[in-house]
Amino acid sequence: MKKIKLTAVLLGLSVFSGLSFADVPLQSNEEVQGSWKLEYTKKSVTATETIKREDTWTFKDGKVTITHIPREGTFYDQSPVAYEIEGGKLKIAMLGRPDKFDIFALQEKTDKSMTLKGKFGDVYHFNKN
């Protein structure tokens, strides 16, 4: 009887732990509108090590501009590129390749923060500016 109860508890925990990493479908461009400061990235949802970032991503009028990107002890700004919401995911055109996209799934969003997951599992955590 103890084994059955333990199995039931473990099964229940495994079901609920999978839900915490589920993607939240985006409905429209307005959900990401505004200026978002990229606080950190990490290699996966379960990774504990974070990489501190200082970029600002500004979504406005169908374009995203990424500014203050660190590079070799200095910073640079990226030219605006198009973005869209398609199939519940955020698609951002690659610089110089408007037919190719980086695709992000929304993991979590509040009025003040947003967490995106890249197509290879990397995680981006933003705070609203």
Side-chain angles (χ1 to χ4, degrees):
M1 189 64 157
K2 287 182 182 180
K3 287 183 181 181
I4 293 172
K5 285 182 182 179
L6 179 60
T7 302
V9 168
L10 291 175
L11 181 61
L13 288 175
S14 68
V15 168
F16 288 113
S17 67
L19 294 176
S20 66
F21 301 127
D23 296 344
V24 178
L26 288 163
Q27 303 300 318
S28 68
N29 286 2
E30 287 74 33
E31 289 183 75
V32 295
Q33 287 289 316
S35 185
W36 297 89
K37 178 152 174 42
L38 181 56
E39 293 294 321
Y40 65 83
T41 61
K42 57 184 187 173
K43 296 194 182 286
S44 72
V45 173
T46 57
T48 56
E49 181 182 346
T50 61
I51 302 163
K52 188 172 169 61
R53 297 292 298 262
E54 300 178 34
D55 316 15
T56 299
W57 295 27
T58 304
F59 296 89
K60 182 178 178 186
D61 300 328
K63 300 272 186 189
V64 60
T65 304
I66 303 174
T67 58
H68 204 69
I69 303 167
R71 184 178 194 178
E72 299 174 3
T74 186
F75 299 94
Y76 72 99
D77 297 342
Q78 178 180 300
S79 299
V81 293
Y83 78 93
E84 62 185 65
I85 304 299
E86 184 179 287
K89 302 204 184 286
L90 172 64
K91 291 176 59 177
I92 298 177
M94 292 184 175
L95 189 60
R97 310 242 358 235
D99 58 328
K100 300 284 184 186
F101 297 89
D102 280 324
I103 300 172
F104 300 90
L106 179 66
Q107 293 291 289
E108 179 180 20
K109 183 174 180 300
T110 67
D111 291 341
K112 297 186 185 253
S113 70
M114 172 172 68
T115 304
L116 300 175
K117 182 176 72 173
K119 63 183 171 185
F120 298 113
D122 39 336
V123 174
Y124 299 76
H125 181 78
F126 298 87
N127 286 325
K128 188 85 170 191
N129 267 352

